[in-house]
Structures are given as C-alpha cells and as structure tokens.
Amino acid sequence: AVIQPASNAQSGPARIVAFGQSATDVNFYLAQDGTDLIVRLRTTDTGTSASPDITVPNVLDSSSQQHLLVTYDQEQVRVYVNGVAVHSVARTGELANWDPTALIAVANDPTSDKPWRGKLFKVVVWDQAFDGGQAGRTYSGDDPGLPGGAGGTFSAVWDERP
C-alpha cells in the first residue's frame, strides 16, 4: 500500500485496508494507531481474529507518503517501509483458513466502525512472499521480479468480484 495519513493521532486502530468480515474476523489488515502500523495476519495458528497484533512502532507520518509492504513466508512476517526492512516477527501456520467470502475494505473495516483518514494511493495484494530485493523494486515502481533477483518476469492477474 502507498499511503499518507491525515493525522498522526488516529487510533482504534484505524483500518487502512482490511480483508475480512468484521473487526474480529479478518484474513489480514493494515491499521494505524498513532504513528504505529498495526498488522494482523490470519494463519492456521492464529484463529479467525488473526491475533496477536504485529506492531511496527513509529513508521507512519502524516507529513509524507509511505510505501508499506508486508510479506509472509510461513516463518516470518516482514514489514518494509519505503523499500527498507523495518520489522520482522516469527509467525507460523498456513493461509488455508482464510475466509473466501471475506470483503476487502479500504479506509475502514467491513463493518464501517474503524475509519481511517488519509490519502490511499495504491493497494496491491500479492499471492507470494517477497524478499528484500523484490520489496525494494516495488518501492522503486518496478516489476518485483523473481525471488533472489533471478531473471524472468513476475505475472499478475486482476481479479474483481462484485
């Protein structure tokens, strides 16, 4: 996601982007609490609430845009801000328990009770884990390429459901 918060005082946490049914039934979300980025990611080891929160302190700033990339490889959740790794936390499990009927919501959660204020320039959901090189390339606006800098192209599919 590429964002710019309207304020450093948002809380709740305020949902930047959420993919779930409610505040407690989520596949994932990115949220803001002050200058902290709050991430939840559901795996077979976390349950439907995707707890516990992954808190990335002091990375959001209302005075500038931030390029946020969160990636998961079934061992670690890694967070990149503006192409730089800023946080990593152990997390296990598969994504097999994601709710296929979940809704994606921007600037709120699907129940509309966690509003976020700011500018949302881009949201992309990839279906594979990225390494640091790929995170840097997406920040630069380039095709992420393959893991490890291997040659080739990365293909993307647009999926839009009513």
Side-chain angles (χ1 to χ4, degrees), residues 116-135:
W116 178 79
R117 303 285 183 246
K119 296 177 182 175
L120 184 62
F121 300 95
K122 182 190 323 187
V123 174
V124 179
V125 180
W126 302 94
D127 68 351
Q128 72 176 47
F130 278 17
D131 64 20
Q134 290 172 299

Side-chain angles (χ1 to χ4, degrees), residues 2-24:
V2 181
I3 67 159
Q4 184 171 355
S7 164
N8 290 339
Q10 297 184 70
S11 63
R15 305 301 195 265
I16 299 165
V17 61
F19 183 38
Q21 295 291 346
S22 68
T24 58

Side-chain angles (χ1 to χ4, degrees), residues 47-59:
T48 59
S49 70
S51 295
D53 286 347
I54 299 165
T55 301
V56 186
N58 302 313
V59 295

Side-chain angles (χ1 to χ4, degrees), residues 19-89:
F19 183 38
Q21 295 291 346
S22 68
T24 58
D25 182 4
V26 298
N27 290 336
F28 73 82
Y29 72 60
L30 303 180
Q32 179 181 353
D33 194 4
T35 59
D36 297 346
L37 175 66
I38 309 297
V39 177
R40 283 203 181 178
L41 176 69
R42 179 192 290 191
T43 73
T44 51
D45 293 345
T46 65
T48 59
S49 70
S51 295
D53 286 347
I54 299 165
T55 301
V56 186
N58 302 313
V59 295
L60 300 179
D61 181 1
S62 63
S63 68
S64 63
Q65 286 184 22
Q66 289 92 54
H67 179 276
L68 309 173
L69 189 143
V70 179
T71 188
Y72 175 64
D73 63 7
Q74 295 187 331
E75 295 176 5
Q76 297 280 319
V77 175
R78 290 181 179 83
V79 179
Y80 296 85
V81 177
N82 298 336
V84 177
V86 297
H87 195 76
S88 180
V89 64

